[in-house]
Amino acid sequence: MSRTAAQVRSDFLEYFRTRAGHAVVPSSPVVPHHDPTLLFTNAGMNQFKDVFLGTGTRPYKRAVDTQKCIRAGGKHNDLEDVGKDTYHHTFFEMLGNWSFGDYFKKEAIDWAWDLLTNIWKLDPLRLHATYFEGDAAEKLEPDTEARDLWLRYLPKERIHPGNKKDNFWEMGDSGPCGPCSEIHFDATPGKDGGKLVNAGDPRVIEIWNLVFIQFNRAPGTGKLSPLPAKHVDTGMGFERITRVIQGKTSNYDTDLWMPIFAAIEEISGAKAYRGKLDDHVDIAYRVIADHIGCLTFAITDGARPSNEGRGYVLRRILRRAVRHAHQTLGVKGPMLCKLVPSV
Ligand code: SER
């Protein structure tokens, strides 16, 4: 195995700390206790919302972190995909580097390229970038600046325009937002997966999103207004980049999940995980492993399964995991609590 998941995480933090003077900051809780617009922390930028809006400050202008995120319920909701595919999770870590009114598009793109191709040595022929094509209804121009910055590294066939859904990032119905430029990894044998960018195909997946935060969307009216300064918010799916670096075709085939799968196998007595997409037992492994991570972090950070709001989302996740444990794996007694040490 080339790099363990733990090494990938520290590579990222160290790269931005040593190469470009970023302060390493902790993740915020996965429960956004102070933000009523969100059920769960759904992105690294949530904890910096006040800095982007100009209502708060930090003692640094550059930061790097790995943020605990839950995307189940609300604007970003991946719950139904979990278990069925190889790359969505309700709970995941997002590696991010941040500029608060400091560097902007050029540096963000240069460092992303350097880390991916020079440090981690990903094949440049497998990388694609996207940029925002603009939106007339919102009076937003195409982000030709990002496109031209990518042209220094990639041929134009591997730089793709994208619409508001894919290339204009928003945390929810209101709040800081802006055009974004995503980096996708093409794992097709012929390195010819260009048409599969943003097509929901597991062979070509988004690994990193570089967001250029410039606007605030007002609650109620939905009107966009420019922010006092321009910021960078990047988010790289930790489970996805680990999979790419370890040369696997599924996030669940990386060392991140092995301890949890081993515990499921031992406690349930089920046949070993084989990574099949259409096998009910393998689906149950993925669902249970994902959901126990989500539940463990959410409950540890102060949420509780209940019958409303965020608690109800947790209850649904809990029920889904229990259902797979009982119905698919045939476990009779309590099982999920016994998996917590493996998480
Ligand atoms: N906010 C962006 C995202 O969540 C990048 O961090 O994708």
Side-chain angles (χ1 to χ4, degrees), residues 42-43 45 71 94 98 169 209 211 233-235:
N42 64 6
M45 55 82 68
R71 290 194 175 173
M94 193 183 287
W98 309 91
W169 199 85
N209 188 12
V211 186
D233 150 17
T234 89

Side-chain angles (χ1 to χ4, degrees), residues 56-328:
T57 57
R58 298 291 185 278
Y60 41 77
K61 280 183 157 344
R62 300 176 177 191
V64 61
D65 68 358
T66 178
Q67 173 67 49
K68 302 177 273 189
C69 296
I70 291 182
R71 290 194 175 173
K75 179 174 165 66
H76 298 275
N77 185 355
D78 294 332
L79 179 58
E80 296 307 321
D81 292 320
V82 172
K84 295 180 196 150
D85 76 10
T86 57
Y87 61 110
H88 283 101
H89 307 289
T90 58
F91 171 82
F92 61 96
E93 279 180 61
M94 193 183 287
L95 303 166
N97 57 291
W98 309 91
S99 158
F100 306 116
D102 185 16
Y103 63 83
F104 204 43
K105 296 180 189 178
K106 179 175 184 298
E107 292 85 347
I109 288 173
D110 286 348
W111 289 327
W113 184 260
D114 185 43
L115 177 60
L116 293 174
T117 63
N118 295 323
I119 306 293
W120 282 331
K121 309 243 180 283
L122 298 189
D123 181 350
L125 298 176
R126 294 196 176 279
L127 297 177
H128 291 252
T130 65
Y131 68 95
F132 180 49
E133 68 186 7
D135 188 282
E138 299 253 28
K139 296 194 174 57
L140 293 167
E141 297 293 321
D143 190 0
T144 51
E145 186 187 356
R147 179 199 64 195
D148 294 346
L149 288 165
W150 279 118
L151 277 168
R152 296 170 307 146
Y153 297 116
L154 292 166
K156 61 180 187 314
E157 313 77 69
R158 284 193 282 123
I159 304 173
H160 312 269
N163 61 20
K164 204 169 82 169
K165 178 180 148 287
D166 290 320
N167 284 90
F168 192 86
W169 199 85
E170 311 199 41
M171 62 181 268
D173 294 334
S174 63
C177 53
C180 60
S181 180
E182 300 172 342
I183 303 169
H184 294 248
F185 185 81
D186 174 6
T188 60
K191 305 182 194 179
D192 53 2
K195 288 203 166 50
L196 303 178
V197 169
N198 277 330
D201 189 298
R203 290 168 297 178
V204 181
I205 56 168
E206 176 196 344
I207 50 172
W208 202 347
N209 188 12
L210 316 181
V211 186
F212 311 119
I213 302 254
Q214 302 170 55
F215 303 102
N216 182 35
R217 192 179 292 282
T221 63
K223 198 170 159 295
L224 287 179
S225 54
L227 287 168
K230 293 179 177 171
H231 313 276
V232 170
D233 150 17
T234 89
M236 171 148 61
F238 171 54
E239 294 76 5
R240 292 186 184 187
I241 191 66
T242 299
R243 154 195 177 170
V244 165
I245 289 171
Q246 293 183 0
K248 307 290 186 188
T249 54
S250 164
N251 292 11
Y252 294 94
D253 291 343
T254 65
D255 64 328
L256 274 169
W257 303 90
M258 286 171 193
I260 309 180
F261 285 170
I264 295 173
E265 185 182 341
E266 193 193 319
I267 294 164
S268 70
K271 67 183 181 188
Y273 180 72
R274 292 178 308 158
K276 297 229 177 322
L277 271 188
D278 52 359
D279 180 290
H280 291 302
V281 170
D282 287 343
I283 292 172
Y285 267 95
R286 288 189 291 271
V287 168
I288 295 168
D290 171 275
H291 289 9
I292 191 59
C294 182
L295 292 162
T296 302
F297 278 93
I299 293 170
T300 308
D301 280 350
R304 291 289 178 271
S306 73
N307 54 5
E308 58 179 7
R310 98 172 34 110
Y312 186 60
V313 175
L314 289 187
R315 179 179 275 187
R316 283 179 54 208
I317 292 171
L318 181 57
R319 277 192 186 140
R320 194 163 176 245
V322 169
R323 184 164 58 78
H324 278 278
H326 286 231
Q327 291 179 358
T328 316

